[in-house]
Amino acid sequence: MNEILQQKINELDSAKEYECWYLVKQDTSFISLCYQVEYLRQFKENPQGLNLETFIKKSVGRLKSDKPNVTVSETHRALRVAAFFGLISMTTTSYSDATITPTFLEIRSRTNGEYEKTDLYMDIIQRQIEKMFISSSIDEQYEGVRKEFRLYPVMLLYKVLVELGHSTGDYSITMTEYRYLVATTKSFEDFLNTLLYIKLLRNDPVANQKLEQYRRKFDNRLIQALKQLPTLSIDSDKILIPVNKVDEVAKKVFVFEKKPTAFSTDNYLSFLGSTKSLFQLESFEESTYESYDSEHSNDTSIDSVPVVTAKIDYDNVERLEVGTNTLLYGVPGAGKSYTIEREYVKKENPRERLVFHPDYTYSDFVGQILPVVNEDGEGNKNVSYEFTPGPFTTILKDAYTNPMVEHFLVIEEINRGNAPAIFGEIFQLLDRKTEIDPTNDDGFPLRTSEYEISNADVAKYVYGDKRHKIRIPSNLSIIGTMNTSDQNVFTLDTAFQRRWDMRLIENRFKSDDSELAEATILDTSVTWEKFCTSINDIILDKNVRMTSSEDKRLGTHFIHVSDLQPAEDDERHRRLFPEKVIKYLWDDAFKFTREEIFDVASYNSLEKIIRKFIDSEGDEKFNIFSATVKNILLGSQVAPEIHD
């Protein structure tokens, strides 16, 4: 056996157990960990008289019932891995005392608590795994068996794979090479030795077999975290960089290796839990190094070096030109939200979704200064005031820093809030750039905001510069929905509406609505499609002189299929249809002309109408209506026209 390789084997033989890159033996899935941290957050708000361990077990039990396909660890000890990933920060040895980090809150904001949707935060998963430092103070063996390990393991692995790829054309290592040679490397600067060991090992099959005796000694749990990186492909035999990720990884290595010690920090836990990346790809601020070198020329402690991040000029990168402002309008239940999900927002698209209402404000939408309680390492708490972004500002930043991904801001019920007041100066940004003026071009792509605004808090959060002018980027679309029957709540003026592409969602049954359309109403012979279209024809005809008659129609999705299903022994269920549909016709659509549709001589109150409907069998339920309407529903008669 080669002498150098034998020395490495001797080193492994004398090493202590777990003297390698290591994570505790708990679930490393971000899905599981995020749900765990969510339950920790809920526990801190209201423990319900339980300890954390019991609280998490009960919460996971409920989740299994609601989402059987989502797997979450029941043990609260998995929170140790959450700390490694920067989702929580440990202030004491008790998980109950851990603080929730901005990184977790960022994930929670993007997913609305549906943490199984990892496509919405895969960039954060990658960012946090790349930021892991071994061995940091999170590790219980920080000053023990792993005290000599001081490196970002992902960056060393990237470096080894890139160098091998450049020299051999194969950007991969075997699992044996990873487990015993790469994962036992203690600093980034040792990568040359690691590459040499790999080269020697590949020419020595005997050494390969000999290394396997250390399998239990170097049980490396970090591999489970690495499997979540989109920049790596890992199976039981090898680790490789996919062809389409080689350039990205090579750029990261190039940035990192300029001065790898500059990527450490004297406050690592704060950095790990923050929303800052370890680095960016396109540019690098050498001036930061220069100032550091001049001030700390004699300081060689890796933990004394500040975090250095690069800045990408996102104003001048390639960006999708797809942004629109679209307002879907129609009667309640016409399928506006359904259309958004089917035709606009795809599963993989990042989005913020919110609902306007009378009490919704500009501060809720854009952001506001709020008190934040901070806790130091000694348990002392202090209050500071910080800008807390609203959904508009959050999605604005996400879209600005991810230029080749289309983002969506979905605003439901836009006219149930005072939209002009909620938008405030954001209103100015809704004008989109639609053409390039060669004589006076501002350089921004089409579909960007044509005009800019100033807002120091938003600019600092989105761009890192409070003087930066704000624009909606061309890869951010805003989609709103508006019930035409609610226009009397808050009116959208012409100046506001002209900045949107208006689309009427027609109130008709579509080809994929057959299950709902053909479902019969409870135990009657009348289908929902027959009832809905017949009543709507009557509404239009009886209210022909009313300009708002269209708005009074029943939406095709006014109810759900489950509301139509019969339930003989469940009065609550039998009430669903009349309480939704019949009540609407009585109280709203025919509020002033009830005799046009109902048999008011026999049933002169809503209470009598609903009771008759519930207690009747089969088609007798429709005895609540006038003879003409009943004939239309049960026969082939069409609604009569009304003439002057």
Side-chain angles (χ1 to χ4, degrees), residues 450-503:
E450 186 172 0
Y451 308 108
E452 75 224 5
I453 63 168
S454 298
N455 184 309
D457 290 323
V458 173
K460 184 175 181 181
Y461 178 82
V462 175
Y463 311 108
D465 178 3
K466 64 183 181 181
R467 294 170 297 181
H468 194 291
K469 301 304 181 183
I470 299 166
R471 295 175 188 258
I472 295 175
S474 62
N475 60 319
L476 173 57
S477 292
I478 305 176
I479 302 181
T481 67
M482 179 175 72
N483 283 331
T484 50
S485 63
D486 292 332
Q487 290 191 73
N488 59 328
V489 181
F490 285 101
T491 301
L492 298 183
D493 58 49
T494 303
F496 189 86
Q497 290 194 42
R498 78 163 185 82
R499 288 168 165 82
W500 301 76
D501 297 332
M502 306 295 289
R503 177 182 173 184

Side-chain angles (χ1 to χ4, degrees), residues 300-345:
T300 59
S301 170
I302 191 170
D303 287 328
S304 66
V305 187
V307 175
V308 175
T309 58
K311 291 183 179 179
I312 299 176
D313 182 6
Y314 286 110
D315 288 335
N316 295 291
V317 298
E318 183 181 1
R319 186 176 295 277
L320 294 179
E321 299 179 1
V322 292
T324 62
N325 309 322
T326 304
L327 190 55
L328 310 183
Y329 67 99
V331 300
K336 296 179 289 296
S337 298
Y338 178 81
T339 301
I340 289 175
E341 295 302 321
R342 291 297 295 269
E343 299 184 24
Y344 290 89
V345 183

